Amino acid sequence: MKWNVYLSGEIHTDWREQIIQGCREADLPVEFTSAVTDHDASDAAGDVLGAESSHFWRDHKSAKVNAIRTKTQIERCDIAVVRFGDKYKQWNAAFDAGFCAALGKPYITLHSADIIHPLKEVDSAAMAWAQTPQQVIELLAYVINAK
Amino acid sequence: MKWNVYLSGEIHTDWREQIIQGCREADLPVEFTSAVTDHDASDAAGDVLGAESSHFWRDHKSAKVNAIRTKTQIERCDIAVVRFGDKYKQWNAAFDAGFCAALGKPYITLHSADIIHPLKEVDSAAMAWAQTPQQVIELLAYVINAK
Amino acid sequence: MKWNVYLSGEIHTDWREQIIQGCREADLPVEFTSAVTDHDASDAAGDVLGAESSHFWRDHKSAKVNAIRTKTQIERCDIAVVRFGDKYKQWNAAFDAGFCAALGKPYITLHSADIIHPLKEVDSAAMAWAQTPQQVIELLAYVINAK
Amino acid sequence: MKWNVYLSGEIHTDWREQIIQGCREADLPVEFTSAVTDHDASDAAGDVLGAESSHFWRDHKSAKVNAIRTKTQIERCDIAVVRFGDKYKQWNAAFDAGFCAALGKPYITLHSADIIHPLKEVDSAAMAWAQTPQQVIELLAYVINAK
Amino acid sequence: MKWNVYLSGEIHTDWREQIIQGCREADLPVEFTSAVTDHDASDAAGDVLGAESSHFWRDHKSAKVNAIRTKTQIERCDIAVVRFGDKYKQWNAAFDAGFCAALGKPYITLHSADIIHPLKEVDSAAMAWAQTPQQVIELLAYVINAK
Amino acid sequence: MKWNVYLSGEIHTDWREQIIQGCREADLPVEFTSAVTDHDASDAAGDVLGAESSHFWRDHKSAKVNAIRTKTQIERCDIAVVRFGDKYKQWNAAFDAGFCAALGKPYITLHSADIIHPLKEVDSAAMAWAQTPQQVIELLAYVINAK
Amino acid sequence: MKWNVYLSGEIHTDWREQIIQGCREADLPVEFTSAVTDHDASDAAGDVLGAESSHFWRDHKSAKVNAIRTKTQIERCDIAVVRFGDKYKQWNAAFDAGFCAALGKPYITLHSADIIHPLKEVDSAAMAWAQTPQQVIELLAYVINAK
Amino acid sequence: MKWNVYLSGEIHTDWREQIIQGCREADLPVEFTSAVTDHDASDAAGDVLGAESSHFWRDHKSAKVNAIRTKTQIERCDIAVVRFGDKYKQWNAAFDAGFCAALGKPYITLHSADIIHPLKEVDSAAMAWAQTPQQVIELLAYVINAK
């Protein structure tokens, strides 16, 4: 059985690479998907369709193009990992978590203990809260491989 | 036809009251629902079930009790209004927006122009972006009453 | 049992009024809903949220505001009547028909015989094709009241 | 990850071939599907089941046979591209767009700027509006391959 | 709590009237719905839309008009009662049973013991098999009123 | 807003009456539903349809008749309360909990602390665990009435 | 693209073999599934679970075992072909058709012209009516292979 | 056609191994999945995320981690086999059965005759009741391979 894992959220640290690398080392049958994590490319996703003079509509257009990808990836995934860093608003990560919750997709949150309180609604609908990528790897290994 | 409108997000200003009052004055057939907005009561929602020594589990327990209410309200609503203020993380508001998006519930975001960029994913799945409660009232009046 | 009928499409003739009036005369327990049929008001639906310099985005914004209403109405309806006139593109009517088809909502098309061929896909997913409002009234009377 | 793209609408220009060719050159993992685009074959789809004396029923029968194919293709697709040319009514394209919208399938519209206004409802539920096949190819390349 | 009961199938005996009368006497909070049971009226349901020279299309048109009613009634019902008599094919009754089964609507079959074998698939997805209208009345009374 | 609460499980103590009475005293807008709690009547639910010589089929027939009621009640409810006593297997209560979980219906478990371990799967999908009917009443009052 | 076709209904003639053979000769990418067509084996499907003294329960048990197979096959299929012969009741075929209709699975009926009238409800929800296996083969070839 | 079978319930006997071995010997195209059946590992599933001082929360955390696996497996399966032994409460098995029932997944119960009565609700929604692993193997062989 192959597992499809969607990695959502923070793009400023290498948590995705750590998880992907760790799962590869553990030889887990996982396919990972993710939003485009190149910040500038993501912001410019809609530019190919023509320039916009308004910031709102440029963002809007790019966000919708990105959503073609992320909505499809979330709907296909078996598990999502949603990462919140200590900087930035990351409303898109919370949005993805809500999207998963409504679809009944199990998700794991990944964040440090100092933001437990503002994330309580997001965590309460999650299947697990991890603090390190290593914990996520171990969870995935257990979920997929334990007998 | 009666409309059911769910008001999500920021609890530190009187935007809910403004919208409810405005709709009442316009005599719109709207029933409003909302999470518990008394911050302390909301944090203590699970305390009746027994004290917790861990902050995480106290939050967890209360968040789930609150979700009994909010999940039901969102699933029943026709339209959601999701408010982001300029303070606090408000990840629960973004979570509600994602939940609405996955269910196909139309929602209107309500926030000032200076947070357009971090809210681009949330806005891109919204049906409208308003900057003032007054605009929301006018939108609702149009949606419900225009011929 | 109360029936909810959504009237979609052409706004330049009085077909809606004929159907509503005919059903009222027949004392049918029907509640009708419809998009905003005031053309200028509909085009300006989003203007309350701020002016747009681009025609595309003004249309986009208004169309989404209108969709808050029409999507809700279609999802609530038991039957839709979709009218195609001989002028204008009326792609929104065909869009509504496709939306109904995917949701499994029964719909009746209302159009003259000279546009049978370009409407064949739309008609083939319909439950009935009527050529006059009077026929629609008789259909509704039968569906609702026959023993 | 393999992507399934449904190409809907206008059949009088080579936009399908351009997109398919462009994606092949970019080596994108896309499988394309489409309605039967041979106009006469499509109109005659039901003839094998017996001749009809009525134009309406011949069209009806063929449209349903064609729908066996297109409905299945749309339900399987990840993304649809819906093309509107400047000739013909193309109500079937708008119907497909509405069908996608109700299913939550992301779709991209492809049309020139002079029909923005009549397509505003169709565009407002789309994830992107492109004006050239080349833009669609670039969008797909970004959605599928960007890191 | 109000219950909505759909009565499907055979139209040549008074089983519907017996059930309705019996539930009325037991003062059960039940609303009954049913296809049009006037055989000639049902066959002519589509005639208002124009005459047909082909028997197949006349039947087709009428059957679709009738389905506007029955599909809506089945989707709204809480329980269906599906009656098979010893005459006629009654494929529409079996069709309704399959429709209920796929929607997860509980249904009760009503037929004599001598057609157990050909009805085994229909019965196996039913919640109960009754042989008399009186049994159906007692079942409904129990389901609705027992403490 | 009216709330519909389904009470599932143990039938040997008066926990249902306590909750109903407590909610009535608190004047909560709640409608309660429940399986038939008269044990003998419930076991005999199918007897009206004819005697069975096999214990298995008598149970089977009665359980299906009871399921007409309980399935409908669960699908209509907003919240379920699932009670596990310290006697009996109560697999039907766990079955109802799983049914709720799959439908996304929020449920509250009600049981003493000494059966936490065997109920861990059931509790982990619940929105709250209460130990007394009084706690359930307070939870419902909060969920429904808090501001 | 691979197509999955479910063959439902009459088991006394070789229509299944004709369709399978014809599709093989046309080299169509179709996988066929079907209920067990060995009549005695099908009636005895549940016997392995123990003998039954009642005809009803023996049929019931076997029908449910068979439904494990057919329900799964129908839910997986892209297209169903539902065959009605001129003998027997074949209520299971009509049941399958209703099941397909409720799931939105396109189906083709296969029957002679003399049973048009009793099949009108079943035909009216079908995508095509064929009179010979050869027509079904040609339809499938068109649906799958036409350009 | 490949079949996916989920094995739920009792972990103290070798019924899983018997079924897997028997299906392998019969060369059936079945993929089996199952919860983690190592009792201690299962109870400790959440420990990697940090120690808990409360028994309830340790169980809760582990049960949710396990549910990531089991929920995914149940949603992917074609058939579930749910085993009840004569020891232990096995509420999780009944929970899985209810989950299957609500999703419309066919399941087979496997238990001895002496617990027919307490399992009547669970059995009544099952497609078959088996008493031995050998019977399950024969059922699967029939469902999958019979002609």
Side-chain angles (χ1 to χ4, degrees):
Chain A
M1 197 161 99
K2 190 110 189 158
W3 293 72
N4 189 316
V5 176
Y6 179 71
L7 303 173
S8 169
E10 189 231 353
I11 60 172
H12 301 93
T13 65
D14 69 345
W15 68 276
R16 279 183 179 79
E17 289 67 31
Q18 288 185 51
I19 291 174
I20 294 170
Q21 177 64 17
C23 288
R24 194 168 298 149
E25 284 167 11
D27 205 25
L28 300 181
V30 181
E31 179 177 18
F32 291 97
T33 60
S34 178
V36 172
T37 55
D38 176 327
H39 198 266
D40 292 340
S42 172
D43 282 0
D47 289 359
V48 65
L49 300 171
E52 295 297 332
S53 52
S54 145
H55 282 304
F56 181 82
W57 293 117
R58 188 199 178 214
D59 275 351
H60 196 78
K61 214 159 66 168
S62 291
K64 286 197 145 180
V65 169
N66 284 316
I68 297 176
R69 172 175 170 135
T70 54
K71 182 168 156 24
T72 303
Q73 289 174 336
I74 291 177
E75 285 171 357
R76 282 188 192 176
C77 84
D78 299 303
I79 303 173
V81 180
V82 188
R83 163 73 183 157
F84 293 87
D86 49 6
K87 285 188 279 197
Y88 307 102
K89 299 282 191 188
Q90 297 165 306
W91 282 319
N92 60 322
F95 181 87
D96 283 356
F99 202 93
C100 286
L103 295 181
K105 296 279 179 190
Y107 66 89
I108 299 163
T109 57
L110 174 59
H111 61 83
S112 62
D114 55 354
I115 47 177
I116 283 176
H117 193 64
L119 280 171
K120 64 182 184 299
E121 286 88 2
V122 176
D123 281 344
S124 77
M127 299 306 274
W129 161 49
Q131 290 172 269
T132 69
Q134 186 57 32
Q135 287 176 320
V136 174
I137 297 163
E138 292 184 40
L139 270 190
L140 292 176
Y142 172 81
V143 164
I144 294 171
N145 273 348
K147 297 297 178 191
Chain B
M1 197 161 99
K2 188 109 190 159
W3 293 73
N4 188 314
V5 176
Y6 179 72
L7 303 173
S8 169
E10 191 231 349
I11 59 171
H12 302 91
T13 65
D14 68 346
W15 68 276
R16 279 184 180 78
E17 288 67 31
Q18 288 185 50
I19 290 175
I20 293 170
Q21 177 64 15
C23 289
R24 195 168 298 150
E25 284 167 11
D27 203 26
L28 299 182
V30 181
E31 179 177 19
F32 291 98
T33 60
S34 177
V36 172
T37 55
D38 176 326
H39 199 266
D40 291 340
S42 171
D43 282 0
D47 289 359
V48 65
L49 301 171
E52 295 297 330
S53 52
S54 145
H55 283 304
F56 181 81
W57 294 117
R58 188 199 178 213
D59 275 351
H60 195 77
K61 216 161 63 168
S62 290
K64 287 197 143 180
V65 169
N66 284 315
I68 296 176
R69 172 175 170 136
T70 54
K71 182 169 158 18
T72 303
Q73 289 174 337
I74 292 177
E75 285 171 358
R76 282 188 193 177
C77 83
D78 299 304
I79 304 172
V81 180
V82 188
R83 163 73 183 157
F84 293 87
D86 49 6
K87 282 187 280 194
Y88 307 101
K89 299 283 191 187
Q90 298 167 304
W91 282 320
N92 59 323
F95 181 86
D96 283 356
F99 203 93
C100 286
L103 295 182
K105 296 279 177 191
Y107 66 89
I108 299 164
T109 57
L110 173 60
H111 61 83
S112 62
D114 54 354
I115 47 177
I116 282 176
H117 193 64
L119 279 171
K120 64 182 183 299
E121 287 86 3
V122 176
D123 280 343
S124 77
M127 300 306 275
W129 162 47
Q131 291 173 268
T132 67
Q134 186 56 33
Q135 287 176 320
V136 174
I137 296 163
E138 292 185 39
L139 271 189
L140 292 176
Y142 172 82
V143 163
I144 294 171
N145 273 347
K147 297 297 176 190
Chain C
M1 198 162 98
K2 189 108 191 161
W3 293 73
N4 189 315
V5 177
Y6 179 71
L7 303 173
S8 169
E10 190 230 350
I11 60 172
H12 301 92
T13 64
D14 69 343
W15 68 275
R16 280 183 179 79
E17 288 67 31
Q18 288 186 50
I19 290 175
I20 294 171
Q21 177 64 15
C23 289
R24 195 168 297 150
E25 284 166 12
D27 204 25
L28 300 181
V30 181
E31 179 177 20
F32 291 98
T33 61
S34 177
V36 172
T37 55
D38 175 327
H39 199 266
D40 291 340
S42 172
D43 282 0
D47 290 358
V48 65
L49 301 170
E52 294 296 331
S53 52
S54 145
H55 283 305
F56 181 81
W57 293 117
R58 187 198 179 215
D59 276 351
H60 196 78
K61 216 161 63 169
S62 290
K64 286 197 144 179
V65 169
N66 285 316
I68 297 176
R69 172 174 170 135
T70 54
K71 183 170 158 17
T72 303
Q73 289 174 337
I74 291 177
E75 286 170 358
R76 282 188 192 177
C77 83
D78 299 304
I79 304 174
V81 181
V82 188
R83 162 74 183 156
F84 293 87
D86 49 5
K87 284 188 280 194
Y88 307 102
K89 300 282 191 187
Q90 298 165 304
W91 282 320
N92 59 322
F95 181 87
D96 283 356
F99 203 93
C100 286
L103 295 181
K105 296 279 178 191
Y107 66 90
I108 299 164
T109 57
L110 173 60
H111 61 83
S112 62
D114 55 354
I115 47 178
I116 283 176
H117 193 63
L119 279 171
K120 64 182 183 298
E121 287 87 2
V122 176
D123 280 343
S124 76
M127 299 307 274
W129 161 48
Q131 290 173 268
T132 68
Q134 185 58 32
Q135 287 176 320
V136 174
I137 296 163
E138 291 184 40
L139 271 190
L140 292 175
Y142 172 82
V143 163
I144 294 171
N145 273 347
K147 296 297 178 190
Chain D
M1 197 162 99
K2 189 109 190 159
W3 293 72
N4 188 315
V5 176
Y6 178 72
L7 302 173
S8 169
E10 191 231 349
I11 60 171
H12 302 92
T13 65
D14 69 344
W15 68 275
R16 279 184 180 79
E17 289 67 31
Q18 288 185 51
I19 290 175
I20 293 171
Q21 178 63 17
C23 288
R24 194 168 297 149
E25 284 167 11
D27 204 26
L28 299 181
V30 181
E31 179 177 18
F32 291 98
T33 61
S34 178
V36 172
T37 56
D38 176 327
H39 199 265
D40 292 340
S42 172
D43 282 0
D47 290 358
V48 65
L49 300 170
E52 295 296 331
S53 52
S54 145
H55 282 306
F56 181 81
W57 294 117
R58 188 199 179 214
D59 275 352
H60 195 77
K61 214 160 65 168
S62 290
K64 287 196 144 180
V65 169
N66 284 316
I68 297 177
R69 173 176 170 133
T70 54
K71 182 168 155 24
T72 303
Q73 289 175 336
I74 291 177
E75 285 171 358
R76 281 187 192 178
C77 83
D78 299 304
I79 304 173
V81 181
V82 188
R83 164 73 183 156
F84 293 86
D86 48 6
K87 283 188 281 196
Y88 307 101
K89 299 281 191 189
Q90 298 165 304
W91 282 320
N92 59 322
F95 180 87
D96 283 356
F99 203 92
C100 287
L103 295 181
K105 296 279 177 190
Y107 67 89
I108 300 163
T109 57
L110 174 59
H111 62 82
S112 62
D114 55 354
I115 46 176
I116 282 176
H117 193 63
L119 279 170
K120 63 182 184 298
E121 286 87 3
V122 175
D123 280 344
S124 77
M127 299 306 275
W129 161 47
Q131 291 172 269
T132 68
Q134 186 57 34
Q135 287 177 322
V136 174
I137 296 163
E138 292 185 39
L139 270 190
L140 292 175
Y142 172 81
V143 163
I144 294 170
N145 273 347
K147 297 297 178 192
Chain E
M1 197 161 100
K2 189 108 190 160
W3 293 74
N4 188 315
V5 176
Y6 178 72
L7 303 173
S8 170
E10 191 231 349
I11 59 172
H12 301 91
T13 64
D14 68 345
W15 68 275
R16 280 183 178 79
E17 288 66 30
Q18 288 185 50
I19 291 175
I20 294 170
Q21 178 63 16
C23 288
R24 195 167 298 148
E25 284 167 11
D27 204 25
L28 300 181
V30 180
E31 179 176 20
F32 291 97
T33 60
S34 179
V36 172
T37 56
D38 175 327
H39 199 266
D40 292 339
S42 173
D43 282 0
D47 290 358
V48 66
L49 300 172
E52 294 295 331
S53 52
S54 145
H55 283 304
F56 181 81
W57 294 118
R58 188 199 179 215
D59 275 350
H60 195 77
K61 216 160 64 166
S62 290
K64 287 197 143 181
V65 170
N66 284 316
I68 297 176
R69 172 175 170 133
T70 54
K71 183 169 157 18
T72 303
Q73 288 174 337
I74 291 177
E75 286 171 357
R76 282 188 192 177
C77 83
D78 299 305
I79 303 173
V81 180
V82 188
R83 163 73 184 157
F84 293 86
D86 49 6
K87 283 188 280 194
Y88 307 102
K89 299 282 192 188
Q90 299 166 304
W91 282 321
N92 59 321
F95 181 87
D96 283 356
F99 203 92
C100 286
L103 294 182
K105 296 280 178 190
Y107 66 89
I108 299 163
T109 57
L110 173 61
H111 61 82
S112 62
D114 55 354
I115 48 177
I116 282 176
H117 194 63
L119 279 170
K120 64 183 184 297
E121 287 86 3
V122 176
D123 280 343
S124 77
M127 299 307 274
W129 162 47
Q131 291 173 268
T132 68
Q134 186 57 33
Q135 287 176 321
V136 174
I137 296 163
E138 292 184 40
L139 271 190
L140 292 176
Y142 172 82
V143 164
I144 294 171
N145 272 348
K147 297 297 177 190
Chain F
M1 198 161 99
K2 189 107 190 162
W3 293 74
N4 187 315
V5 176
Y6 179 71
L7 303 174
S8 170
E10 191 231 349
I11 60 172
H12 302 90
T13 64
D14 69 344
W15 67 275
R16 280 184 179 78
E17 289 67 31
Q18 289 185 50
I19 290 174
I20 293 170
Q21 178 64 15
C23 288
R24 194 168 298 150
E25 284 167 12
D27 204 25
L28 300 182
V30 181
E31 179 178 19
F32 291 97
T33 61
S34 177
V36 172
T37 56
D38 176 326
H39 199 265
D40 292 339
S42 172
D43 281 0
D47 289 358
V48 66
L49 300 171
E52 295 296 330
S53 53
S54 145
H55 283 306
F56 181 81
W57 293 117
R58 187 198 179 215
D59 275 351
H60 196 77
K61 215 161 63 168
S62 290
K64 287 198 144 180
V65 168
N66 284 316
I68 297 177
R69 172 174 170 135
T70 53
K71 182 169 158 17
T72 303
Q73 289 174 336
I74 292 177
E75 285 171 359
R76 282 188 192 176
C77 84
D78 298 305
I79 303 174
V81 180
V82 188
R83 164 74 182 156
F84 293 87
D86 47 7
K87 283 188 281 194
Y88 306 101
K89 299 281 191 188
Q90 298 166 304
W91 282 320
N92 60 322
F95 181 87
D96 283 356
F99 202 93
C100 286
L103 296 181
K105 296 279 177 190
Y107 67 89
I108 299 164
T109 57
L110 173 60
H111 61 83
S112 63
D114 55 353
I115 47 176
I116 283 177
H117 193 63
L119 279 170
K120 63 182 184 298
E121 287 86 3
V122 175
D123 280 344
S124 76
M127 300 306 275
W129 162 48
Q131 291 172 269
T132 67
Q134 185 58 33
Q135 286 176 322
V136 174
I137 296 163
E138 291 185 40
L139 270 190
L140 292 175
Y142 172 81
V143 164
I144 294 170
N145 273 348
K147 297 297 176 191
Chain G
M1 197 161 100
K2 189 108 189 161
W3 292 73
N4 188 315
V5 176
Y6 179 72
L7 303 173
S8 170
E10 190 230 351
I11 59 172
H12 302 91
T13 64
D14 69 343
W15 68 275
R16 280 184 179 78
E17 289 66 32
Q18 288 185 51
I19 290 174
I20 293 171
Q21 178 64 14
C23 289
R24 195 169 297 149
E25 284 167 12
D27 205 25
L28 299 182
V30 181
E31 179 178 18
F32 291 98
T33 60
S34 178
V36 172
T37 56
D38 175 328
H39 198 265
D40 292 339
S42 173
D43 282 0
D47 289 358
V48 65
L49 300 171
E52 294 297 333
S53 51
S54 145
H55 283 305
F56 181 81
W57 293 118
R58 188 199 178 213
D59 275 351
H60 195 77
K61 214 159 67 167
S62 290
K64 286 197 144 180
V65 169
N66 284 316
I68 297 177
R69 173 173 169 135
T70 54
K71 182 170 156 21
T72 303
Q73 288 174 337
I74 291 176
E75 286 170 358
R76 282 187 192 177
C77 83
D78 299 305
I79 303 174
V81 180
V82 188
R83 164 73 183 156
F84 293 87
D86 48 6
K87 283 187 281 194
Y88 307 101
K89 299 282 191 188
Q90 298 165 305
W91 282 319
N92 59 322
F95 181 86
D96 283 356
F99 203 93
C100 286
L103 294 181
K105 295 281 177 189
Y107 66 90
I108 299 163
T109 57
L110 174 60
H111 61 83
S112 62
D114 54 354
I115 47 176
I116 283 176
H117 193 63
L119 279 170
K120 63 182 184 299
E121 286 87 3
V122 176
D123 280 344
S124 77
M127 299 306 275
W129 162 47
Q131 291 172 269
T132 68
Q134 186 57 33
Q135 286 175 322
V136 174
I137 296 163
E138 291 185 39
L139 269 191
L140 292 176
Y142 172 82
V143 164
I144 294 170
N145 272 348
K147 297 297 178 191
Chain H
M1 197 162 100
K2 189 108 190 160
W3 293 73
N4 189 315
V5 176
Y6 179 72
L7 302 173
S8 171
E10 190 230 351
I11 60 173
H12 301 93
T13 64
D14 69 343
W15 68 275
R16 279 184 179 78
E17 288 67 31
Q18 288 186 50
I19 290 174
I20 293 170
Q21 178 64 15
C23 288
R24 195 168 297 148
E25 284 166 11
D27 206 25
L28 300 182
V30 181
E31 179 177 19
F32 291 98
T33 60
S34 178
V36 172
T37 55
D38 175 328
H39 199 266
D40 292 339
S42 173
D43 282 0
D47 289 358
V48 66
L49 299 172
E52 295 296 331
S53 52
S54 146
H55 283 306
F56 181 82
W57 293 118
R58 188 198 179 214
D59 275 351
H60 195 78
K61 213 160 66 168
S62 290
K64 287 196 143 180
V65 169
N66 285 316
I68 297 177
R69 172 176 171 135
T70 54
K71 182 170 156 22
T72 303
Q73 288 175 337
I74 291 176
E75 286 170 357
R76 282 187 193 178
C77 84
D78 299 304
I79 303 173
V81 180
V82 188
R83 163 74 184 157
F84 294 86
D86 49 6
K87 283 188 281 195
Y88 307 102
K89 299 283 191 186
Q90 298 165 305
W91 282 320
N92 59 321
F95 181 87
D96 283 356
F99 203 92
C100 286
L103 295 181
K105 296 279 178 190
Y107 65 89
I108 299 163
T109 57
L110 174 59
H111 61 82
S112 61
D114 55 353
I115 48 177
I116 282 176
H117 193 64
L119 279 170
K120 63 183 184 298
E121 287 87 2
V122 176
D123 280 344
S124 76
M127 299 307 274
W129 162 47
Q131 291 173 268
T132 68
Q134 185 57 32
Q135 287 176 320
V136 174
I137 296 163
E138 291 184 39
L139 270 190
L140 292 176
Y142 171 82
V143 163
I144 294 171
N145 272 348
K147 297 298 178 191

